[in-house]
Amino acid sequence: MEAPQRNLALDLVRVTEAAALASARWLGRGDKNAGDQAAVDAMRLSFNSLDISGTVVIGEGEKDHAPMLYNGEKMGAGEGPGMDVAVDPVEGTNLLAYGRPNAISVVGVAPTGMMLDPGPSYYMQKLVVPTAARNMVDINAPVKDNLNKIAKALNKDVDDLVVFVLEKPRHHGLIQEIRDAGARIQLHTDGDVAGALMVVDPRCPVDVMMGTGGTPEGVLAACAIRIMGGEMFATFDPQSEGEKGALLDQGYDLRNIMTVNDLVKSDDIFFSATGISGGTFLRGVRYLGYGAETTSLVMRGKTGTVRLIEAVHTWDKLMKISAVKYD
């Protein structure tokens, strides 16, 4: 038995709240880089107050030339435990720019060396299922077979299932297979971290996520999936000859099937996500004139504790001490 230890997730929520509050000012204004930059700046400032010696292992920006917290960047005050850091200041920059639901700010941390280094991989094929179906599926099996097994594990009919799929040209065949199997589909233009979280969050109606999305997002989502007891099966799925060649040159096995335990190799992990634009997963930032409200999902792996935190931020007090200009 151990005495209660500090829950770093309760510090991380201040980081994602700051990024959400700063970026939500850009909701629907059509400038995804400005919204992302606001989140990056707020997240960097907030992170530097934490007593950790962090290194960004999963950053964002290189793939789409956006503002970024870059891989290898040092985070935290430089004292305290060494941590791998996975960040997505705005997961769903297009969702934010065009006022669409489910843009979120996300952070996950783990002890140094415990997160997969995706190297030159930008994309991976993913199959995310809730706890009851974690030992029932095979990412290489036909879609219909997996859906039948998931339905059985959840005590549902196949036509009860809801499948999260990114609405991309690469998924035309997958979408048709899901429809032919009889399951229902939620199509989303962006946001596969949020999609993965919806699968393992019992408050959400999504039962499974299928298809190819970002590799960094997969590692980040794996932090939360591992804590909540779900499973992700993933294989590298390069979308260009350049990406494929770079993976092969560096010795990556494109046939290897990874699980959350491969993507994040420790239970001593922490995760926080704060809603920006709102939607079916987390409520977005609500500005009140005198301040704002945020909603966050916060988790600690070692205890399995999952918290839903609603916060009220008051400008006249906050702005006296904050370097981030939220209002």
Side-chain angles (χ1 to χ4, degrees):
M1 304 296 292
E2 298 181 6
Q5 299 174 335
R6 182 171 183 174
N7 185 350
L8 185 58
L10 298 178
D11 293 321
L12 291 179
V13 71
R14 296 173 58 200
V15 174
T16 56
E17 285 173 348
L21 287 167
S23 61
R25 291 292 187 189
W26 294 92
L27 179 70
R29 294 171 65 179
D31 190 340
K32 71 173 187 176
N33 282 346
D36 204 16
Q37 186 70 67
V40 166
D41 293 343
M43 184 170 279
R44 182 177 281 118
L45 277 171
S46 299
F47 240 116
N48 288 338
S49 68
L50 302 187
D51 291 329
I52 65 170
S53 180
T55 302
V56 175
V57 175
I58 302 297
E60 188 54 55
E62 183 180 352
K63 180 174 64 179
D64 51 11
H65 308 291
M68 60 177 167
L69 292 165
Y70 58 87
N71 288 0
E73 181 172 353
K74 300 301 180 183
M75 306 294 289
E79 300 178 356
M83 308 293 289
D84 286 347
V85 178
V87 296
D88 203 340
V90 179
E91 204 252 340
T93 52
N94 283 319
L95 302 179
L96 172 63
Y98 298 109
R100 295 169 182 153
N102 296 322
I104 59 176
S105 180
V106 195
V107 169
V109 301
T112 298
M114 293 294 102
M115 284 187 188
L116 174 76
D117 180 357
S121 174
Y122 293 149
Y123 292 95
M124 57 168 46
Q125 182 185 356
K126 308 171 193 176
L127 174 60
V128 182
V129 295
T131 306
R134 61 181 303 167
N135 297 317
M136 304 289 289
V137 295
D138 177 352
I139 194 171
N140 291 323
V143 169
K144 183 176 181 179
D145 290 355
N146 278 329
L147 291 176
N148 283 330
K149 291 177 179 178
I150 293 166
K152 182 178 180 180
L154 300 179
N155 293 315
K156 295 183 176 185
D157 295 328
V158 172
D159 60 5
D160 295 332
L161 297 179
V162 175
V163 185
F164 179 105
V165 182
L166 290 176
E167 190 174 10
K168 306 292 184 182
R170 62 179 176 265
H171 288 151
H172 286 168
L174 172 63
I175 290 167
Q176 190 58 53
E177 288 185 74
I178 296 170
R179 289 171 174 163
D180 290 343
R184 299 176 295 156
I185 301 174
Q186 277 192 15
L187 290 174
H188 294 255
T189 58
D190 300 275
D192 58 339
V193 173
L197 296 178
M198 290 179 199
V199 174
V200 294
D201 187 338
R203 300 174 302 129
C204 297
V206 175
D207 299 294
V208 56
M209 186 178 86
M210 292 180 164
T212 294
T215 302
E217 290 85 349
V219 178
L220 182 47
C223 296
I225 296 168
R226 178 165 179 150
I227 294 170
M228 298 184 79
E231 186 60 275
M232 174 192 294
F233 300 93
T235 59
F236 294 122
D237 190 14
Q239 297 298 295
S240 69
E241 287 302 314
E243 182 183 356
K244 181 178 180 180
L247 283 165
L248 294 175
D249 287 345
Q250 294 189 27
Y252 287 86
D253 184 356
L254 304 188
R255 299 167 299 177
N256 183 42
I257 299 173
M258 297 167 283
T259 68
V260 290
N261 291 341
D262 299 309
L263 299 173
V264 185
K265 299 180 177 67
S266 172
D267 282 324
D268 193 17
I269 50 181
F270 304 90
F271 180 90
S272 177
T274 300
I276 300 174
S277 63
T280 57
F281 173 50
L282 286 171
R283 285 189 294 184
V285 174
R286 181 187 175 206
Y287 293 108
L288 306 170
Y290 62 86
E293 294 178 348
T294 57
T295 302
S296 303
L297 191 66
V298 181
M299 311 179 199
R300 183 186 181 197
K302 201 169 184 180
T303 60
T305 303
V306 179
R307 290 179 170 90
L308 190 66
I309 297 179
E310 296 182 349
V312 177
H313 311 267
T314 305
W315 299 147
D316 63 353
K317 292 186 177 181
L318 181 60
M319 295 313 300
K320 290 177 182 179
I321 60 173
S322 177
V324 182
K325 302 301 181 184
Y326 298 116
D327 63 347

